[in-house]
Amino acid sequence: MTLSRRASLGRIVAQGLVSATAARSPLDAVENLLALQGQQASAIPWAIGVRCVGVPRAQISAAFDSGALVRSWPMRGTVHVTSGRDHHWLRRLLRHRRAAWERQASSLGLSDAIVERAAQVACDLLETSPGGVSRVELVEAWENSGIDTVTASSSQAGLRRRHLVMRLHLDGALAAGPLRAGEHLMVDARGLPGAPGVAQGESGHDEALAVLAARYAWGHGPIDEADLARWTGLTLTQARRAMAGAREAGSSIGLPIAEFEGGLARADLADLVEAARDEAEAMLALPSFDELHVGYKDRSCLTDQAGEALICPAKNGMFRPIAVAGGRVVAVRAPGSQVVSVDGCGTYEESARRAFGDWEKWLSETQR
């Protein structure tokens, strides 16, 4: 089934990509989504800035410097940006879905004893450098303490560096924060707000999953259980159960949820789409790995298979920036800043080029 154009406009509005729902701060933009995919560090300021009103890039950097925003692996084995106050809540809530990965990493030499030693070295290092340390500095500290690691591309056998870093993020010891020379520095995550009772097997787990579904529906809707399962890494059964409690959970936290175009979304979305239709249909330039594209299992309202092939031509998980008009992908930005139009959308090429150029200028300057 292909989702409707109205569903696509609804997602644009819900994600804060029109002035009526745009955020007043980077923190608000991220918390509206709950989590924002962040594996490409250079795309993060654009992904946040496009969802804000009048926010300079420096304000986004300041949010990471202060710990208001962090970058980590809270779900699905994929790097995301969350607020500092949501970090441990989301991490603990979904930690059980990483059990298979932990077993695999353990079979490759990542023992609990090594993790404990590495965490202590990292925390000792961060006591002397509370503003954060680079990955190179962290690896050097490990090596000086007798913990040797290898990169994933290395031909040498040994403990994989990425596995160790990811495990310390999963355990809640580390997160990434301040941006320096294009890298988000590692910081001590233990001081971020805790989240007791939400892990699998704890008393508040099921209620927290319903809150998760409600928050996802609020900032991404319309969505269904398959979208939630894809976004979080939950099983379809778990996602279905969470969705069943989403309306009640949403009401309890002040985010009323209702049906919209066959899925769940914020209750006022129908009115917002009607009021902001012209703006929602206007040209949007969005970065690689943007939530409007990667935040769903069913993206049929946004593009088709031909469009997906333009966005990720090598099928290697590396996505290109996209231009969206009328709720559909109309062009992508290829390497070398070349704009490539979707078949039948050549009339949008020049406006897409201008839109990409505007954001390139914003990124190269300090303010929009």
Side-chain angles (χ1 to χ4, degrees), residues 122-134 137 178 185-188:
C123 292
D124 289 346
L125 177 63
L126 286 165
E127 279 189 10
T128 61
S129 303
V133 297
S134 68
E137 291 169 323
L185 302 182
M186 303 290 180
V187 295
D188 191 337

Side-chain angles (χ1 to χ4, degrees), residues 2 16 19 110 227 255 265 306 332:
T2 300
S19 56
L110 188 62
D227 293 314
L255 301 177
V332 302

Side-chain angles (χ1 to χ4, degrees), residues 318-337:
M318 297 304 295
F319 296 94
R320 293 169 168 177
I322 59 175
V324 176
R328 299 283 293 178
V329 173
V330 296
V332 302
R333 192 185 66 185
S337 297

Side-chain angles (χ1 to χ4, degrees), residues 41 53 92 105 107 110 132 156 165 170 188-189 193 210 225 230-231 236 252 281 289 306 308 341 355 361 365:
V53 175
R92 297 197 72 245
S107 72
L110 188 62
Q156 295 177 288
V165 172
L170 288 174
D188 191 337
E225 62 267 19
R230 167 67 179 79
W231 193 67
L236 196 55
S252 73
E281 291 180 338
F289 303 101
E308 294 285 1
S341 299
K361 183 179 180 182
E365 297 175 350

Side-chain angles (χ1 to χ4, degrees), residues 207 210-218 242-259 264-268:
E207 181 182 350
V211 170
L212 169 63
R215 290 189 62 182
Y216 176 55
W218 179 272
M243 290 284 283
R247 296 188 200 216
E248 182 178 350
S251 295
S252 73
I253 60 173
L255 301 177
I257 301 300
E259 187 171 328
L264 292 186
R266 53 187 293 169
D268 59 353

Side-chain angles (χ1 to χ4, degrees), residues 37-229:
Q37 191 156 322
Q39 65 194 75
Q40 185 174 324
S42 61
I44 293 172
W46 183 354
I48 295 173
V50 74
R51 291 170 167 84
C52 295
V53 175
V55 167
R57 182 172 179 176
Q59 191 174 337
I60 297 171
S61 296
F64 283 101
D65 288 345
S66 69
L69 297 179
V70 295
R71 182 173 178 251
S72 187
W73 283 274
M75 60 183 185
R76 215 179 68 235
T78 302
V79 179
H80 282 79
V81 174
T82 67
S83 70
R85 55 194 173 207
D86 280 331
H87 169 69
H88 287 309
W89 182 83
L90 192 57
R91 177 189 65 79
R92 297 197 72 245
L93 179 60
L94 298 174
R95 174 66 183 271
H96 65 285
R97 295 301 301 155
R98 302 297 294 144
W101 175 85
E102 289 187 52
R103 288 192 296 271
Q104 179 192 31
S106 178
S107 72
L108 294 173
L110 188 62
S111 68
D112 287 344
I114 289 176
V115 171
E116 186 176 342
R117 283 176 54 209
Q120 187 59 59
V121 171
C123 292
D124 289 346
L125 177 63
L126 286 165
E127 279 189 10
T128 61
S129 303
V133 297
S134 68
R135 182 174 291 212
V136 168
E137 291 169 323
L138 181 58
V139 170
E140 183 179 345
W142 284 336
E143 289 175 348
N144 291 339
S145 299
I147 302 172
D148 295 322
T149 61
V150 298
T151 62
S153 60
S154 174
S155 59
Q156 295 177 288
L159 178 62
R160 293 187 182 178
R161 188 171 302 162
R162 187 174 186 272
H163 285 180
L164 184 53
V165 172
M166 186 185 292
R167 174 64 188 272
L168 293 183
H169 279 245
L170 288 174
D171 285 353
L174 297 179
L179 187 65
R180 300 288 183 273
E183 178 185 3
H184 286 272
L185 302 182
M186 303 290 180
V187 295
D188 191 337
R190 296 174 300 171
L192 295 174
V198 303
Q200 186 181 51
E202 296 180 343
S203 60
H205 181 66
D206 287 345
E207 181 182 350
L209 284 177
V211 170
L212 169 63
R215 290 189 62 182
Y216 176 55
W218 179 272
H220 286 76
I223 52 94
D224 64 13
E225 62 267 19
D227 293 314
L228 178 63

